[in-house]
Amino acid sequence: MTGIKDVAERAGLSVATVSRALSGKGNVSPTSRERARAAAAELGFVLSYHASSLASGRTHNVGLVVPSVHRWFFSAVIEGASAALLEAGYDLTLYNIGENPAHRQSVFSDFLLRKRVDAVIAVSLELSEDEIEQLHAVHRPIVGIGGPLPGASTIRIDDSGIALKATNHLLGLGHTKIAHITGHEAYDQDFHLPGTRRSGFEKAMNDAGCPVRPEWIVSADFTIEGAYAAARQLLASAPERPTAVFAASDEMAIGTILAARDFGLRIPDDLSVMGIDGHDLGNVLGLTTIDQDAKGQGALAVRTLLGAINNGLVLEPADTEHPTKLVVRTSTAVPKPGTS
C-alpha cells in the first residue's frame, strides 16, 4: 500500500516536506509543492487527515457559529473565513443556531466540546464566561467577532463611532432634519448593536444642536423588507418629512430607498439615505455607507486563530478594532434650499 514515504522517495523530498505540501500547512516552495503533488498523483496517494489528526491531536477543522446564515453580514463573514481556511488547508464546520436558545446551548455545551474542531469563531454572539471557560478547558481557542468577550480574543468595529461619523456626514452636507431607522429590541440582546448605533446618531445630533425627533426614529428587523415597511410608515405618517435618513444597516437603507420611490421621492434630491455595512448591493444602488469589511473580519479571525495554533502559542485575550471606511456615493447630497 502506497505511503507518504513512497511519495517522498518519488519526489526526492523529505517526508516532512511532502506532508506540508499535501496538507497545505507550513512553508513549502512552489517547486517542492508541485513535485510532491505530482508524485502523489502518480502513485495514487491521498493524505489521510484522520491519521494525521490521530498523530497530532488536531483536526484541521475550525467551528464557526453564527446567529443566522440568511443575513448579509453573517454570510459575508462566513465567506471571508471560509476562503482563508481553504487557503490554509483547513475545513470549516458551520453552526447556525437561529433563534432557538436550545440550539445555542447544545452547540456550546456539547458539539464544540467533542474535539471535532481545533478552534472556534463566534460571530455576533455575546458569550458568557462559562461558555468561554468550557472551550478553554478543552484547549479550544476562540475568536469573537462583533464585540468584547471576557477572556477571549475579539474583533469588532466602533459601532457608536461609525454611527456618529455617518450622521456627521449628513450634517456636514447641511441636513438637520434627519430620521433614524434602528433595530428592534430583539436585536439588542448581543452587544446591544441597535442601541449603540442609535447612541452615536443621537450624540452627533446633540453635538450639532439638532433636535432628535421621536417620531423620526423607527425600528425594523435589519432586513430590506422590514425597513421598507417601516420607512413607508415614516414617510406617510410624519407631519413633516425628514430630508435625510440614517439607517443602522445597509439592508435597511436599501429598504428606505425603495419606500421613498413609492412616494415619488428622488434620491438624493428629495431624500438623502445613509447606511452602514458595505453591502454588495450598495454600489449598484449608489448607497453612501460606512464599509465595515465583513469578509475581512472573517479572514482576520482565521489568521488570528491559525497564527496561534500553527506556532503552538496560547491565544491571549485581545480586543482588536477593525478599520472602517466612509464610502460616499450618490444617495446623499446637500438638501434642497429651504428644506434643511
Side-chain angles (χ1 to χ4, degrees), residues 62-176:
V62 170
L64 196 153
V65 191
V66 296
S68 171
V69 296
H70 299 297
R71 297 273 302 284
W72 175 85
F73 174 74
F74 303 133
S75 63
V77 169
I78 293 169
E79 184 176 348
S82 176
L85 287 169
L86 187 63
E87 184 69 22
Y90 271 70
D91 292 321
L92 180 149
T93 297
L94 178 64
Y95 299 94
N96 178 29
I97 61 175
E99 299 179 359
N100 190 333
H103 290 171
R104 173 172 175 156
Q105 183 178 0
S106 296
V107 167
F108 284 99
S109 63
D110 185 9
F111 290 100
L112 293 176
L113 306 183
R114 293 180 183 177
K115 299 186 178 181
R116 294 176 178 174
V117 298
D118 291 330
V120 176
I121 298 172
V123 185
S124 297
L125 294 169
E126 193 169 0
L127 306 184
S128 67
E129 290 188 27
D130 288 342
E131 289 172 328
I132 293 173
E133 287 176 1
Q134 284 180 321
L135 291 170
H136 286 166
V138 293
H139 308 292
R140 294 299 177 264
I142 181 170
V143 169
I145 295 177
L149 297 176
S153 182
T154 56
I155 297 165
R156 63 173 181 82
I157 61 173
D158 180 5
D159 284 295
S160 178
I162 62 175
L164 185 145
K165 181 186 290 187
T167 309
N168 278 337
H169 169 70
L170 296 171
L171 290 165
L173 291 172
H175 294 279
T176 59

Side-chain angles (χ1 to χ4, degrees), residues 270-295:
D270 302 313
L271 184 72
S272 285
V273 180
M274 174 94 198
I276 287 178
D277 271 338
H279 196 290
D280 298 336
L281 289 175
N283 190 43
V284 177
L285 295 174
L287 177 64
T288 297
T289 186
I290 305 285
D291 185 357
Q292 63 168 312
D293 185 23
K295 294 178 185 177

Side-chain angles (χ1 to χ4, degrees), residues 115-286:
K115 299 186 178 181
R116 294 176 178 174
V117 298
D118 291 330
V120 176
I121 298 172
V123 185
S124 297
L125 294 169
E126 193 169 0
L127 306 184
S128 67
E129 290 188 27
D130 288 342
E131 289 172 328
I132 293 173
E133 287 176 1
Q134 284 180 321
L135 291 170
H136 286 166
V138 293
H139 308 292
R140 294 299 177 264
I142 181 170
V143 169
I145 295 177
L149 297 176
S153 182
T154 56
I155 297 165
R156 63 173 181 82
I157 61 173
D158 180 5
D159 284 295
S160 178
I162 62 175
L164 185 145
K165 181 186 290 187
T167 309
N168 278 337
H169 169 70
L170 296 171
L171 290 165
L173 291 172
H175 294 279
T176 59
K177 301 175 182 178
I178 306 173
H180 179 48
I181 299 186
T182 182
H184 290 321
E185 290 183 3
Y187 297 92
D188 217 19
Q189 296 177 357
D190 289 290
F191 302 123
H192 313 291
L193 176 65
T196 301
R197 291 186 178 176
R198 176 174 172 174
S199 69
F201 163 74
E202 292 178 343
K203 183 179 188 313
M205 294 291 283
N206 291 331
D207 288 349
C210 298
V212 177
R213 298 170 61 160
E215 70 272 21
W216 284 355
I217 296 182
V218 296
S219 61
D221 60 358
F222 280 97
T223 67
I224 294 174
E225 295 84 359
Y228 170 76
R232 278 187 58 88
Q233 182 177 359
L234 167 69
L235 297 173
S237 61
E240 182 182 11
R241 283 177 179 164
T243 63
V245 174
F246 162 49
S249 77
D250 278 357
E251 288 186 276
M252 294 202 292
I254 292 168
T256 302
I257 290 174
L258 297 177
R261 289 175 177 175
D262 286 354
F263 289 90
L265 300 176
R266 296 169 299 168
I267 307 294
D269 298 333
D270 302 313
L271 184 72
S272 285
V273 180
M274 174 94 198
I276 287 178
D277 271 338
H279 196 290
D280 298 336
L281 289 175
N283 190 43
V284 177
L285 295 174

